[in-house]
Amino acid sequence: MTTAIALRGLTKKFGDFTAVDGVTFTVDTGEVLGFLGPNGSGKTTTMRMLLGLMQPTAGSASVLGYDAQRETELIRPLVGYMSQKFALYEDLTVRENLQFYAGVYGMPPAVRQPRVQAVLQTIGAINHANAIAGQLSGGWRQRLALGIALVHSPRLLFLDEPTSGVDPATRREFWDLIYALAEQGTTIFVSTHYLDEAEHCTRLGIMHAGRLLAIDTPGALKQTLVAGPAWEIVATPLLAALGALQAHPGVRRASLLGDRLHAVTLHGTCTAGSLQAILAAAGCPHAQVLPADPTLEDVFTELALSTPAAP
Ligand SMILES: Nc1ncnc2c1ncn2[C@@H]1O[C@H](COP(=O)(O)OP(=O)(O)O)[C@@H](O)[C@H]1O
Ligand SMILES: [Mg+2]
């Protein structure tokens, strides 16, 4: 396993304000590293320092073995970047956009044509090759932006909230593309604030107010950070059941999850039977209580509960 990215105390200040605060971690080759955090938590600033687009205030980083600050020109040809505010040439077709960027990357004309065709295939846009970029729907714009980030066959892709603002079905299709790229060996560093997407990353780094709060596989984060066992509860009336659970001291949190309830209880405080008894006493006599897996939302809630607010 080789290291694709290493951050060592990476820090960025804007005046007195610390946007990225001593962040240290590594990304292995072949990973799909999810970078999770609310708006303003420092995700884009971190990415821009890794890409050499912004100088760190302190700390350092290496990308594919090169220093992110001093060897940017060696890194640039090896990485792709889909920024949050990606730019397309609105008057050009999908194919022309890809051809233009192939030229920007200095690809010889003879290889441009076949490479553009391969990228059209990868992003599933063969039938949209002649569509005008300015007339594409949000999902297709996103695919084209990914295609542009891929045109020079990078070994490492930085995707900054690539699916923000597109519908759930389009998001799923986009993630299928991401996994296909990862399977072909591309390392992926992707920021998101969608927990359902984060679920499928090989590891997740969780940012909050410029700090890395945790980094691990989704499964390990749930095991180590969630306070106790989780339960799935089917009960009527649902809101009465929710209120009864939330009022119980052994229940760390309870919430609606689709047409049922999801609860996390503190270790050693509740059993399925004791939860059923609480629900029966609250007017829900036939409640079903089943052991469940903790969710990433549980992880987030725990981290939020245990993290002091930013100064
Ligand atoms: N060029 C800048 N000048 C001043 N503040 C900035 C600048 N860029 C980002 N910030 C601030 O740094 C914080 C982190 O921003 P950003 O990295 O864009 O977060 P995220 O991508 O997680 O939403 C935000 O509070 C943002 O307002
Ligand atoms: Mg951002």
Side-chain angles (χ1 to χ4, degrees):
M1 194 65 81
T2 56
T3 299
I5 308 175
L7 294 73
R8 305 171 208 93
L10 200 64
T11 298
K12 181 70 187 182
K13 294 188 181 190
F14 297 109
D16 293 343
F17 175 73
T18 306
V20 176
D21 194 357
V23 171
T24 299
F25 67 93
T26 58
V27 180
D28 289 330
T29 302
E31 273 204 276
V32 179
L33 192 282
F35 205 43
L36 221 65
N39 275 340
S41 56
K43 303 183 299 296
T44 297
T45 304
T46 302
M47 259 191 214
R48 293 180 70 80
M49 288 192 283
L50 294 175
L51 285 155
L53 298 170
M54 198 179 257
Q55 296 298 307
T57 311
S60 64
S62 62
V63 174
L64 300 173
Y66 298 112
D67 186 280
Q69 243 181 300
R70 293 191 307 270
E71 296 176 305
T72 313
E73 69 290 351
L74 297 174
I75 296 171
R76 203 61 61 77
L78 305 177
V79 305
Y81 175 39
M82 180 172 160
S83 103
Q84 250 176 316
K85 297 182 196 137
F86 58 78
L88 305 175
Y89 284 89
E90 304 285 334
D91 299 338
L92 299 184
T93 65
V94 169
R95 185 192 302 279
E96 287 164 347
N97 266 282
L98 293 169
Q99 281 167 339
F100 173 80
Y101 281 99
V104 168
Y105 277 102
M107 247 178 243
V111 290
R112 261 182 236 173
Q113 204 66 25
R115 179 59 195 156
V116 164
Q117 198 62 23
V119 171
L120 285 168
Q121 186 92 42
T122 302
I123 62 172
I126 294 282
N127 295 328
H128 287 68
N130 298 320
I132 303 293
Q135 294 169 8
L136 294 172
S137 68
W140 281 104
R141 291 179 70 80
Q142 240 112 352
R143 278 180 187 234
L144 175 54
L146 177 67
I148 289 169
L150 280 176
V151 85
H152 55 304
S153 310
R155 287 158 54 192
L156 170 59
L157 260 185
F158 291 93
L159 307 175
D160 197 358
E161 301 202 19
T163 57
S164 68
V166 300
D167 64 83
T170 306
R171 289 205 283 127
R172 269 196 298 280
E173 288 169 12
F174 194 92
W175 274 83
D176 287 342
L177 292 177
I178 294 180
Y179 301 134
L181 290 166
E183 251 162 51
Q184 292 157 26
T186 310
T187 305
I188 294 174
F189 187 109
V190 54
S191 71
T192 181
H193 56 250
Y194 293 112
L195 296 182
D196 58 336
E197 295 183 344
E199 197 73 64
H200 303 292
C201 295
T202 51
R203 283 191 309 148
L204 290 177
I206 299 182
M207 293 289 288
H208 178 84
R211 297 214 176 109
L212 183 76
L213 295 187
I215 181 163
D216 216 326
T217 62
L221 290 170
K222 291 172 192 173
Q223 276 201 334
T224 55
L225 294 175
V226 177
W231 309 89
E232 180 184 293
I233 295 144
V234 182
T236 36
L238 202 56
L239 290 179
L242 179 62
L245 291 172
Q246 285 173 336
H248 187 74
V251 175
R252 177 76 163 172
R253 71 183 283 258
S255 56
L256 286 167
L257 192 70
D259 61 350
R260 41 200 67 194
L261 300 175
H262 178 82
V264 174
T265 56
L266 299 171
H267 281 293
T269 57
C270 301
T271 61
S274 75
L275 289 170
Q276 257 157 352
I278 293 163
L279 294 169
C284 312
H286 305 296
Q288 280 176 274
V289 179
L290 297 166
D293 291 326
T295 63
L296 279 178
E297 210 180 319
D298 295 331
V299 169
F300 261 80
T301 309
E302 282 303 326
L303 285 172
L305 290 172
S306 59
T307 305

